[in-house]
Amino acid sequence: MFAAALRTEASIFVEDVETANPEVVNKNFEAKEFGHRALIHAHLCADELLWGVLQPCMFDRPRVWTDFDRQVIAAVTEKISPLAVAYVTASASKDER
């Protein structure tokens, strides 16, 4: 998923980590590191660069992500991607001081 994010591909919606395509999600890694069952790997991109990842998730059960969920994530990532860019660049500026 992170490789797709680095390539600034579309956000990834995983309805069930347990049954997801292993080419999309590493079930063992997700279970060990995060413990969630369903997730959205929403990519915050600008100018063909990745600036962050928003990851809403469900821990206790799978979830079917609806068209409405997908529309909300698209709208949210569009709105907050510039904020992520501003935050990262401001943080980098502070580190240079």
Side-chain angles (χ1 to χ4, degrees), residues 1-67:
M1 286 188 294
F2 195 69
L6 288 172
R7 293 189 299 266
T8 67
E9 293 176 3
S11 297
I12 299 169
F13 293 77
V14 178
E15 295 183 347
D16 188 350
V17 169
E18 294 292 316
T19 61
N21 181 339
E23 292 180 13
V24 174
V25 63
N26 180 329
K27 176 177 82 168
N28 295 330
F29 175 79
E30 295 297 324
K32 180 182 176 199
E33 299 299 324
F34 302 109
H36 46 235
R37 191 67 191 271
L39 66 107
I40 302 169
H41 201 259
H43 309 149
L44 305 179
C45 302
D47 300 321
E48 298 184 37
L49 294 172
L50 175 68
W51 293 90
V53 175
L54 176 66
Q55 190 165 312
C57 60
M58 301 282 296
F59 288 94
D60 58 341
R61 64 185 178 277
R63 177 184 171 130
V64 174
W65 301 108
T66 65
D67 287 337

